Amino acid sequence: MIRITDSARGQVVAFEPQDPTRITLYVCGPTVYDYAHIGNARPAVVFDTLFRLLRQSYGESAVVYARNITDIDDKIIARSHETGESIALLTHRTLMAYHQDMAALNVLSPTIEPKATDHIADMIAMIQTLLDRGHAYAAQGHVLFDLSSYPDYGALSHRPAEEEQAGARVTIASYKKHPADFVLWKPSAPDEPAWDGPFGPGRPGWHLECSAMIHRHLGKTIDIHGGGQDLLFPHHENERAQSACCWGEPFVRHWMHNGFVTLNNQKMSKSVGNITTVHDLIRRGVRGEVIRYVLLSAHYRQPVNWDDAAVAEAQHLLNRLYRALEGSHEDSLESIDPDADIMAALQNDLDTPRALHRLQSMASDIQSEPTPALRRHKQLILRASGTMLGLLLTPSWLQGDDAALHDAIAQMIHQRDVAKKNKDFATADDLRQRLLSWGVRLKDTPDGTRWEKL
């Protein structure tokens, strides 16, 4: 039995699908105007792990996973105006980069990846239903959801509407009946994208997009809706309200939310400038599996801290696992089941720290196994278990552990020495960090720079 933390109930509950032959999972995907940072990557990794668990438990064909693409939004429009790049090119280029970054993290493609702009007609129909049922009203070219028409608002996040703040893609305006009434349709400026609708030319509100795409692809009621903790309020609260008023309760059987990622124990913020993107990490030589390992190292509901020490530890632990697997990747995993303790950990509210600890224990057992045939079998179980976490999928992981790697390290140390001599300390620090991501620690001594493996 799979148990998960249901955000609405505030406790761990048994997962109870509506139909075990068709498990429906929806996760809010990227707004495609910039590279994904590691905070954006966490829900992709967390719910990819859940996707793997559900497929293992119910069968691959039984799980329908939708992760949307928001390709029309105020942030997209602002970035297009800022750079002069067309919205079509900006969103396409950013989406391709997102796919590449997520593939590097071993994130499986969802079953369905709907784009907001392909569902405008669905959104218009939904707005009209809400108007007809008295849950929405028109004002100065906008259509807004009337919070007073839904007394259960706030039951998901356990926060009243009064706490909704400006800046969370919500406009506070005098034409609203209630300050927290949220936009379903907004008029577009002459230089902004617009679609014709019975409410006038404009575009949909952000909250509406997910509801319409869920209804089109997954149905009126879905099993699990996931996303980052930052989306719980107001985004998911608003989704729930408009969907319930349009199609009835329940909209979602189980809500799940992952915790934040901090950078050097500080909250990431673009205004502060302490954002680290997956694209930049990979460009600097941090392997995607290392990023994934760090993101899984804390329980999904808890914060996870990203810093050099976490990267070095993940690199070291992955190296240890791959060393235990040497010589096994040419063997098929067909008919090999994951370790029972790994499955138990994941079924217990996605306890990935416990699962990772078990992987390390299995690696130790392999290293001490004297019988070749039994050692081979244990390697296959370790690989099958790693696959449940999206790990141990790179057969060539240790191929660079030879003279060529030593030459590359020596070359980077020389480049760093030159940079230090020229007082280019930024480059020197960058080279040190790149080597650290490889599991190589530098020591500056009177006799020169020395290095060692972590």
Side-chain angles (χ1 to χ4, degrees):
M1 175 188 295
I2 296 174
R3 293 172 60 79
I4 56 177
T5 296
D6 188 305
S7 301
R9 284 177 268 186
Q11 61 185 5
V12 178
V13 300
F15 170 57
E16 298 176 347
Q18 185 171 230
D19 177 1
T21 67
R22 187 176 185 268
I23 310 296
T24 49
L25 167 65
Y26 183 90
V27 175
C28 292
T31 299
V32 284
Y33 72 101
D34 204 350
Y35 290 121
H37 56 69
I38 52 175
N40 304 137
R42 193 178 192 195
V45 167
V46 164
F47 291 104
D48 174 73
T49 306
L50 177 63
F51 183 34
R52 293 170 184 270
L53 175 63
L54 292 171
R55 297 204 313 173
Q56 180 71 21
S57 303
Y58 293 91
E60 290 189 9
S61 63
V63 185
V64 184
Y65 173 24
R67 187 186 67 208
N68 77 294
I69 302 297
T70 296
D71 59 348
I72 181 62
D73 180 84
D74 291 347
K75 293 180 180 179
I76 293 172
I77 295 170
R79 180 59 56 87
S80 175
H81 288 168
E82 176 188 331
T83 63
E85 186 176 19
S86 71
I87 287 178
L89 182 57
L90 169 65
T91 55
H92 175 76
R93 176 179 58 77
T94 307
L95 178 56
M96 292 304 100
Y98 181 80
H99 285 158
Q100 292 171 2
D101 290 344
M102 294 307 104
L105 272 55
N106 294 336
V107 170
L108 298 170
S109 297
T111 315
I112 307 165
E113 192 176 55
K115 293 182 180 179
T117 55
D118 292 336
H119 297 78
I120 301 298
D122 298 284
M123 298 175 202
I124 290 174
M126 186 175 175
I127 294 171
Q128 190 60 58
T129 298
L130 290 170
L131 284 167
D132 293 344
R133 294 182 177 179
H135 294 293
Y137 60 94
Q140 296 185 22
H142 297 75
V143 180
L144 301 114
F145 184 85
D146 185 354
L147 286 187
S148 67
S149 73
Y150 185 59
D152 204 35
Y153 187 88
L156 168 59
S157 60
H158 311 290
R159 294 168 63 177
E162 286 72 15
E163 289 189 29
E164 188 163 351
Q165 300 294 317
R169 305 192 196 189
V170 174
T171 302
I172 306 300
S174 59
Y175 52 77
K176 292 184 176 185
K177 294 181 180 179
H178 184 285
D181 288 350
F182 57 89
V183 172
L184 301 172
W185 187 263
K186 65 175 70 176
S188 296
D191 59 346
E192 295 177 344
W195 286 264
D196 290 330
F199 336 108
R203 63 183 190 276
W206 174 49
H207 309 300
L208 186 78
E209 296 174 0
C210 288
S211 288
M213 288 184 278
I214 287 172
H215 183 255
R216 164 58 69 92
H217 296 286
L218 301 181
K220 294 181 180 179
T221 300
I222 64 172
D223 292 313
I224 299 174
H225 193 321
Q229 181 181 333
D230 56 314
L231 299 182
L232 176 59
F233 188 91
H235 182 49
H236 289 165
E237 192 71 74
N238 291 354
E239 268 191 68
R240 174 178 174 269
Q242 64 200 7
S243 296
C245 291
C246 198
W247 299 301
E249 306 267 19
F251 168 45
V252 173
R253 295 174 66 84
H254 302 284
W255 291 91
M256 293 179 69
H257 294 88
N258 64 269
F260 294 112
V261 178
T262 58
L263 184 63
N264 297 316
N265 292 307
Q266 292 184 334
K267 183 179 179 180
M268 289 195 298
S269 170
K270 289 185 178 179
S271 61
V272 176
N274 64 338
I275 295 291
T276 297
T277 68
V278 174
H279 179 83
D280 285 342
L281 288 169
I282 293 173
R283 180 182 58 80
R284 285 162 39 197
V286 181
R287 293 187 176 191
E289 244 179 87
V290 172
I291 299 172
R292 186 180 181 107
Y293 199 104
V294 173
L295 294 176
L296 293 175
S297 65
H299 193 278
Y300 77 92
R301 290 185 290 106
Q302 302 300 319
V304 62
N305 185 56
W306 181 276
D307 59 18
D308 294 340
V311 173
E313 180 181 22
Q315 178 74 56
H316 170 71
L317 293 173
L318 277 166
N319 285 347
R320 187 172 181 273
L321 293 175
Y322 273 105
R323 278 193 291 271
L325 291 175
E326 285 185 292
S328 73
H329 273 89
E330 64 269 22
D331 295 332
S332 171
L333 293 179
E334 188 175 356
S335 76
I336 301 296
D337 292 327
D339 174 72
D341 288 342
I342 296 286
M343 291 299 297
L346 296 178
Q347 290 166 349
N348 184 26
D349 197 23
L350 283 186
D351 191 346
T352 56
R354 177 181 156 198
L356 293 176
H357 185 268
R358 174 59 182 160
L359 288 181
Q360 296 297 329
S361 176
M362 293 169 71
S364 296
D365 188 41
I366 289 170
Q367 297 286 25
S368 61
E369 176 55 57
T371 307
L374 189 52
R375 176 186 175 92
R376 199 77 163 185
H377 182 66
K378 289 181 176 180
Q379 286 178 320
L380 295 180
I381 297 175
L382 176 57
R383 281 177 50 207
S385 303
T387 299
M388 291 301 303
L389 292 153
L391 301 172
L392 308 182
L393 305 177
T394 311
S396 61
W397 185 273
L398 290 173
Q399 288 182 6
D401 196 14
D402 54 17
L405 177 60
H406 288 207
D407 289 343
I409 293 171
Q411 184 178 5
M412 290 178 68
I413 289 175
H414 173 70
Q415 293 173 351
R416 178 173 174 269
D417 289 341
V418 171
K420 288 172 62 181
K421 184 177 180 179
N422 294 332
K423 297 185 178 181
D424 183 2
F425 300 114
T427 298
D429 287 343
D430 183 60
L431 289 165
R432 176 188 284 274
Q433 296 309 315
R434 287 180 59 189
L435 285 169
L436 190 62
S437 72
W438 293 6
V440 174
R441 179 166 54 200
L442 300 184
K443 287 187 175 182
D444 293 318
T445 74
D447 298 323
T449 303
R450 300 288 184 264
W451 65 272
E452 64 181 10
K453 284 192 174 182
L454 295 171

